[in-house]
Each structure stands twice: as structure tokens, then as C-alpha cells.
């Protein structure tokens, strides 16, 4: 991945005894990675089952962006983790960089970058939907939404293409500390800093700016509602309950990785073994936490998941469904498997998920 954390296995910086210690921890690290990968995959499969069909109050554009995020998060579990675990099994640690490691490092960096860009695009769409609802239809057309999604997926591979070339400006080694094919950005500090400037900092600025403005807008709206609705004082602070955790999780998962990358590029030194393992794999946990903060806290999503799960059990195991007292509803089954044809109504009203609009959030809290 583009964190650039590398415990070299070919230089004087790492002794044979250190390599043996790192390899001795291999089963523990592999177990952690497998458990994390299973959580990410199962969580995003459940999300995909729901948002691939219509969800009440979610516009078509919303589902496009959230499907993009689900795809990027799923890639952690079905691409990044299997590839790096496979390399850790077949890699001969006495050999130097090879084509396989370069390809895997390129895939890692692409998935991580795509996830960050997608999170930034979702924040931007939410910002427009909430603060400029009357202009949403003209600003966030279907074509522009798809172009933003395409940019999130195709710009990172273009930017990171040099990582895939063996013998190029970027060296890649397999790290026995993090079990990841890592680019050694210390050999090209300028390129590594350029990646940080084009990926992490722009996405972080967009997310911070948009979510901070949404939080301030929600606070102002809450103060106004207090004057007319006494029950508003009893309701929880929705903005703090959603927006603050989203940003806190983002920076907790990504900032340590970026800080270690910059440290490695500037100083040329690597961080301790387990610290490297944690900061390298910590961003992948964001793929699971996104399922919670962007989906499961929304009441409409939970209801739709219950419906989809019920229909799935009815189809696969009717006896179990009968034990729970569930009965098939042909009309419900048809709707759950089809895209909503009334998306234009949702788009004109700029309805979003609970993490995408304050109005939906307020409604969720009001019913709890």
C-alpha cells in the first residue's frame, strides 16, 4: 500500500534474528487479518444486498455513491487481504523485489486511494444536498455523479501507475512485519510526498470542510427548533452522534498510516514491527466501520435489511421462516428486488440517508 512502511529484508537495517521474530508472529498476524477480512466482507455483502434495491428516502445518486463506497470497502476483504496473504505464503524471503510484489503493491495503493476519494465524494454530495437542496438537482445530475465516481476509481490507478513497474522509480519489498508488499518511498521522497498531497490531504480537506459546515448548520437549526419545540431539548444531538464519529474514525484509521509514511520517507527509518502492522492494516478497518456509520444507524436501511433477510430465508429455508412466523408477500418480494422507479421524486427533494441529511437524521431520532 502507499503507506510506504517497509521493514527491508535485504539490508543491514534488519538482522536475521529480527526476521525470525517477525516470522514467528506470522500466525497471529494472519489470524487477525483473516478475522478482519471476514468482518469487512460479510458487512459489505449485507450492505450490497440492501442498497442494490430501493431504500425509502434514498435517491438514485445516493445509492450510486454508496454502492461505490461499498465496492471500495469490499475490495479490502476480497482483493487486498487475499493478495498479501498469498504473497506471504509463496514469497521467498531470500529474494529481492519481483513483479508479483509490484503488482500487489499497486493493487493495495489503488484500493486504499479509491476508498479515500469515495469518502470525499460522499461528503461533497451530502454537503450540496443539505445546504443547497433547491440546487441539488441541477448541481448533482446523474451524469456528474457518475463522473465523480469514475474519477474516484480511475484517477488513483493513473497516479499510482509507477508503483507497478519493476525497476522503476519506486522500489517494492515484502514486509515481514506487516505482511504487505510495501513501496519503499524513502528512495524517492518527492514522489511519496506528491502522493500524500494528491490523495490524503485533498480528501481530508474536503471531508473536514463539508462535515464541519454540516455540523454547524445542524447546530444552528437545532437552536431554532428549541424556540418552537420544547421536545427538541430532549432529543440527542444528532449531528454530534453521526458526523463527529465519522470524522473521528476517518482520522483514527488513516492519519497514523500517513504519518508513518511521511516519517519513513523523510528519515529513512522504519517504525517498530507491531506498530507498523497496526498502522498498515488500520485503514482496512474503516471498510467495516463505514458499514456502521453510513448504513446501520439508518432506520430505513435496517428495515430494508430485515425485509431482504426475511425474503432470503423464505427462499432458502421455508421451514425456518415458518418457525419465525414469516410469510411470503409477492408484492414486497418484487419491490425488494427492483430499483425504485420514483428516484426522480427523491432527487428533486434531495432526500438522503441518515448520514447524508440532517432531516432524515432528525426523523430517525424523533421515532426512537
Amino acid at each position: 500500500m502507499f503507506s510506504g512502511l517497509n521493514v527491508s529484508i535485504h539490508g543491514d537495517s534488519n538482522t536475521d534474528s529480527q526476521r525470525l521474530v517477525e516470522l514467528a508472529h506470522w500466525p497471529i498476524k494472519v489470524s487477525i487479518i483473516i478475522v478482519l477480512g471476514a468482518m469487512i466482507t460479510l458487512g459489505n455483502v449485507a450492505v450490497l444486498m440492501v442498497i442494490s434495491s430501493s431504500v425509502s428516502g434514498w435517491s438514485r445518486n445516493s445509492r450510486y455513491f454508496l454502492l461505490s463506497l461499498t465496492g471500495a470497502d469490499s475490495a479490502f476483504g476480497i482483493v487486498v487481504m487475499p493478495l498479501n496473504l498469498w504473497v506471504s505464503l509463496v514469497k521467498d524471503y531470500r529474494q529481492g523485489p519481483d513483479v508479483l510484489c509490484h503488482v500487489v503493491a499497486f493493487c493495495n495503493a489503488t484500493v486504499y486511494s479509491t476508498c479515500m476519494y469515495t469518502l470525499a465524494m460522499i461528503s461533497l454530495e451530502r454537503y450540496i444536498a443539505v445546504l443547497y437542496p433547491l440546487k441539488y438537482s441541477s448541481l448533482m445530475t446523474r451524469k456528474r455523479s457518475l463522473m465523480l465516481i469514475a474519477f474516484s476509481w480511475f484517477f488513483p490507478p493513473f497516479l499510482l501507475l509507477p508503483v507497478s513497474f519493476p525497476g522503476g522509480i519506486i522500489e517494492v519489498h515484502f514486509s515481514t512485519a506487516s505482511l504487505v508488499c510495501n513501496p519503499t518511498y524513502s528512495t524517492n521522497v518527492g514522489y511519496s510526498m506528491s502522493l500524500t498531497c494528491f490523495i490524503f490531504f485533498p480528501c481530508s480537506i474536503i471531508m473536514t470542510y463539508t462535515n464541519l459546515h454540516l455540523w454547524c448548520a445542524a447546530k444552528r437549526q437545532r437552536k431554532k427548533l428549541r424556540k418552537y419545540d420544547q421536545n427538541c431539548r430532549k432529543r440527542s444531538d444528532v449531528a454530534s452522534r453521526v458526523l463527529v464519529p465519522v470524522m473521528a474514525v476517518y482520522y483514527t484509521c488513516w492519519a497514523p498510516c500517513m504519518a508513518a509514511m511521511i516519517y519513513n520517507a523523510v528519515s529513512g527509518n522504519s517504525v517498530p514491527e507491531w506498530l507498523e502492522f497496526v498502522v498498515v492494516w488500520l485503514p482496512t478497518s474503516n471498510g467495516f466501520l463505514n458499514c456502521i456509520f453510513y448504513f446501520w444507524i439508518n432506520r430505513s436501511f435496517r428495515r430494508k435489511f430485515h425485509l431482504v433477510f426475511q425474503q432470503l430465508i423464505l427462499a432458502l429455508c421455508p421451514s425456518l421462516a415458518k418457525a419465525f412466523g414469516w410469510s411470503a408477500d409477492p408484492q414486497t418480494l418484487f419491490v425488494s428486488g427492483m430499483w425504485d422507479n420514483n428516484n426522480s421524486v427523491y432527487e428533486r427533494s434531495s432526500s438522503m440517508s441518515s448520514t447524508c441529511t440532517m432531516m432524515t437524521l432528525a426523523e430517525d431520532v424523533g421515532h426512537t
Side-chain angles (χ1 to χ4, degrees):
M1 57 175 289
F2 65 91
S3 64
L5 306 177
N6 182 46
V7 178
S8 174
I9 59 177
H10 306 286
D12 297 334
S13 62
N14 197 4
T15 64
D16 291 338
S17 59
Q18 288 175 320
R19 292 199 298 269
L20 291 175
V21 171
E22 292 170 357
L23 292 175
H25 296 157
W26 186 85
I28 301 176
K29 296 175 182 177
V30 169
S31 300
I32 295 174
I33 294 173
I34 291 176
V35 171
L36 182 59
M39 293 171 58
I40 294 172
T41 302
L42 293 176
N44 283 282
V45 166
V47 169
L48 185 62
M49 290 172 57
V50 176
I51 62 177
S52 60
S53 61
S54 61
V55 179
S56 176
W58 291 19
S59 70
R60 179 181 297 175
N61 285 344
S62 302
R63 293 206 300 273
Y64 285 157
F65 282 101
L66 295 175
L67 279 171
S68 176
L69 177 63
T70 304
D73 289 341
S74 299
F76 286 137
I78 62 179
V79 175
V80 173
M81 294 179 175
L83 279 179
N84 288 279
L85 290 178
W86 178 50
V87 174
S88 70
L89 290 173
V90 304
K91 179 70 175 176
D92 186 348
Y93 301 107
R94 295 170 298 178
Q95 298 177 355
D98 52 26
V99 176
L100 177 60
C101 252
H102 277 271
V103 172
V104 173
F106 172 75
C107 293
N108 295 344
T110 299
V111 171
Y112 278 64
S113 303
T114 299
C115 183
M116 279 198 288
Y117 273 113
T118 303
L119 288 171
M121 296 302 106
I122 289 178
S123 297
L124 181 62
E125 191 226 8
R126 178 176 58 216
Y127 173 81
I128 296 175
V130 175
L131 298 185
Y132 303 96
L134 299 180
K135 297 181 179 180
Y136 179 83
S137 298
S138 59
L139 293 176
M140 294 299 299
T141 62
R142 180 187 179 189
K143 181 178 180 180
R144 290 179 179 175
S145 299
L146 295 178
M147 287 179 63
L148 288 175
I149 294 173
F151 175 81
S152 301
W153 282 87
F154 291 106
F155 181 68
F158 170 78
L159 186 65
L160 298 163
L161 194 60
V163 177
S164 64
F165 296 133
I169 62 175
I170 301 296
E171 296 181 3
V172 175
H173 290 86
F174 182 79
S175 170
T176 55
S178 58
L179 302 184
V180 168
C181 288
N182 283 328
T184 311
Y185 290 119
S186 58
T187 59
N188 195 317
V189 179
Y191 184 75
S192 62
M193 299 304 292
S194 298
L195 290 182
T196 309
C197 293
F198 279 104
I199 297 177
F200 178 70
F201 288 142
C203 295
S204 300
I205 291 172
I206 292 174
M207 290 190 65
T208 303
Y209 177 84
T210 54
N211 284 284
L212 181 61
H213 276 67
L214 288 175
W215 183 80
C216 293
K219 285 292 185 181
R220 291 194 298 267
Q221 186 67 20
R222 183 178 174 83
K223 290 181 180 180
K224 292 180 181 179
L225 291 175
R226 285 178 178 176
K227 299 179 180 179
Y228 306 101
D229 186 4
Q230 296 298 326
N231 293 328
C232 181
R233 298 179 181 272
K234 302 178 181 180
R235 299 177 181 177
S236 60
D237 189 347
V238 180
S240 299
R241 184 169 62 89
V242 177
L243 298 179
V244 173
V246 165
M247 293 306 304
V249 167
Y250 172 80
Y251 279 108
T252 300
C253 290
W254 293 99
C257 184
M258 297 301 105
M261 169 188 167
I262 295 174
Y263 170 79
N264 176 259
V266 174
S267 67
N269 299 321
S270 60
V271 297
E273 174 195 356
W274 277 101
L275 178 59
E276 176 183 342
F277 178 80
V278 170
V279 298
V280 166
W281 288 104
L282 188 60
T284 61
S285 63
N286 197 205
F288 173 75
L289 295 175
N290 285 337
C291 296
I292 298 175
F293 290 111
Y294 282 87
F295 301 101
W296 293 106
I297 62 173
N298 179 260
R299 187 180 54 175
S300 297
F301 177 87
R302 295 196 301 270
R303 286 179 175 177
K304 190 57 181 289
F305 174 78
H306 181 269
L307 175 62
V308 172
F309 181 75
Q310 177 179 333
Q311 299 300 335
L312 183 64
I313 296 300
L314 282 168
L316 299 179
C317 189
S319 58
L320 181 61
K322 185 177 180 181
F324 283 102
W326 296 342
S327 60
D329 185 348
Q331 182 178 0
T332 302
L333 180 61
F334 174 78
V335 174
S336 65
M338 298 294 292
W339 285 82
D340 190 359
N341 292 325
N342 295 325
N343 287 304
S344 58
V345 176
Y346 294 131
E347 290 173 355
R348 284 194 296 267
S349 62
S350 300
S351 297
M352 301 285 287
S353 67
S354 64
T355 57
C356 296
T357 63
M358 296 298 102
M359 297 301 294
T360 306
L361 283 170
E363 181 182 357
D364 285 344
V365 175
H367 287 83
T368 57

